[in-house]
Amino acid sequence: MTHDHDLVLRPTVAQTEAALNPPAGRNGGDLVVETLTGLGATTVFGLPGQHALGMFDALRRSTLKYVGLRVENNAGFAADAYGRITGEAAPLLLSTGPGALMSLAALQEAAAASAPVLAIGSQVPVAGLGGGRHGYLHELRDQQASFRDVVKSVHTVRTQSQIPSAIAAAWESALTAPHGPVWVEIPQDVLLAETSLPVVTAMDATPEEVVPRPELTAVAAHLLANAERPAIIAGGGVVRSDASGKLLALAERLDVPVVTTFGGKGAFPWEHPLSLQSWLEDRHTTDFLEDADVLLVVGSGLGELSSNYHTFAPRGRVIQIEADAGKLESNHPALGIHADARLALQALLETVGERTDPAAAERVAAVLGKVRDRIAAQDLGPEQRIVAAVREALPDRAPSFWDMTILAYWAWSAFDARHPNTMHSAQGAGGLGYGFPAALGAAAADPSQPVLAVSGDGGAMYSIAELATAKQYGLDVTWLIVDDGGYGILREYMTGAFGEATATELTRPDFVALSESFGVPAALTTPETLATDLAKALATPGPSVVVLPALLRMFEPTHL
């Protein structure tokens, strides 16, 4: 009887010869890029720095495509989007200290949105590790401590022989459900020293699947099949695990209404008779979900935005499928099933019988009618027309990336994503500056589609330097900047809370002239010409900017 661990793959004569005679002129950085290549990486993002030069020099000797951004945080956002679009771990190469720390906001967004990012940073020389104060450039007492609360796992390398194993372990961690960012740090001298180690060959770091317990899915199937008023909340986990088809099959088999969270946009067909769409910040939707006697929550922790700011109080039985064990029952008691959404939905499909509810579609239509009436009573026609114009201009399968701006807040509730994994925003961590650099990462991942980025003028200034990146690499991104002269949503929040706003008004540049100074074509548009101007820009290869001066308003909240 043999076991897998008894089987050792013996090298061929050619492999032995190559291992005994590695090419000259390699350093620790070569072990990094060789390991990434062996794991299947094709593209890396980042920004060089003094301690990390060993890695960047090694890129010359590799087949990896490098996309360099102008700010580390923006490089992190680009890697985040690459991971979301491809489902692969996106390598992010960074330097020590300030360069590394500049990526933290982007890595927090990747963690909140379950985007697989493999961040590899340099460190001070080995002699400086351990907390002593040696006075090295960029030195921190404990650099990895700054990342430990943000990323899924931390991996520190002290010798060249540890590089392949550490990166492979980090790769596996990043791609284990739920996906997320990981941190590897390698000292400067380890990266720069010549190496006699053999060239790293193909490596297997396939993550183990998070499989549901069969006794739990059996109970869930029984509850759903016998429910009188079931409902489903589909979160980002459905999109990340490519489970939209299984969700649709389950909803149709059971005649169950489905609402998608803001992170789960596109997980369920928008115009389907059972689709409650994404009006989670509306009390009519909240009331409907509270009335469900069985509520299936798939791939969502029912956090602040998904619970109408924690006003949602379910009265029925909750079933929660979630790959992040920390989110199970973190907000509501439930039958918690720790599993990848795709595997759990497949288990339910194999177990549950059919259920018929002729009134389900009527109840969905009634809720959506109430939502429309509530919005219509607030004189928000211009905002709705702008959302519709963006939808009209954007090709169905083209991805869009939305910054934290009023138009994005509208899009969370009102935008039809049409296909899974095509609408992304920074709503996980809520930081500014996400939209444009993320769109650049998506364009690098799939050059076959144009990509849309949407920002306000405040958020745009966080990433304006990346116009140079877009131009340098010819990335096909159209950037819609809604210019309202300030931090528009904060202006609304402060006016509503305090009667007037403070620190929200901004002096901003002429965005058209600024874009053109980078060699990026730009156009000034109006709400009436937006659809035409945006469609033209999206149809033109390469980067472009469309500027819309507009003061938008949000619909009234229902959670206050």
Side-chain angles (χ1 to χ4, degrees), residues 212-213 216-217 220 319-323 328 335-339 344 348:
R213 295 296 310 161
L216 296 178
T217 54
I319 304 163
Q320 186 184 13
I321 296 168
E322 176 56 58
L328 277 181
L335 173 67
I337 302 176
H338 180 218
L348 289 176

Side-chain angles (χ1 to χ4, degrees), residues 174-351:
L175 290 174
T176 298
H179 292 173
V182 293
W183 175 251
V184 180
E185 56 184 30
I186 308 173
Q188 177 188 29
D189 48 346
V190 175
L191 290 170
L192 289 175
E194 286 192 33
T195 186
S196 59
L197 291 171
V199 173
V200 182
T201 55
M203 301 185 69
D204 182 13
T206 305
E208 291 189 11
E209 295 184 317
V210 184
V211 181
R213 295 296 310 161
E215 67 273 18
L216 296 178
T217 54
V219 173
H222 175 77
L223 290 171
L224 287 166
N226 292 279
E228 292 184 8
R229 299 177 312 283
I232 296 175
I233 297 177
V238 176
V239 176
R240 299 283 167 267
S241 64
D242 194 21
S244 302
K246 297 186 187 303
L247 173 66
L248 176 61
L250 183 68
E252 290 183 337
R253 183 179 298 182
L254 295 173
D255 262 351
V256 183
V258 178
V259 63
T260 56
T261 69
F262 304 151
K265 297 285 287 188
F268 195 74
W270 188 258
E271 299 292 348
H272 193 284
L274 293 172
S275 174
L276 283 161
Q277 301 178 357
S278 299
W279 292 96
L280 285 166
E281 288 190 49
D282 193 285
R283 190 66 217 179
H284 298 302
T285 302
T286 306
D287 289 342
F288 183 93
L289 295 172
E290 287 183 348
D291 188 53
D293 60 336
V294 176
L295 180 66
L296 173 62
V297 183
V298 190
S300 171
L302 291 182
E304 185 174 26
L305 297 180
S306 302
S307 62
N308 205 353
Y309 298 89
H310 293 302
T311 61
F312 171 56
R315 294 190 293 272
R317 187 75 183 269
V318 178
I319 304 163
Q320 186 184 13
I321 296 168
E322 176 56 58
D324 186 342
K327 292 181 179 178
L328 277 181
E329 300 188 64
S330 60
N331 287 309
H332 301 282
L335 173 67
I337 302 176
H338 180 218
D340 178 88
R342 177 176 53 82
L343 298 177
L345 288 171
Q346 179 62 37
L348 289 176
L349 284 168
E350 292 171 356
T351 310

Side-chain angles (χ1 to χ4, degrees), residues 9 443 522:
L9 295 177

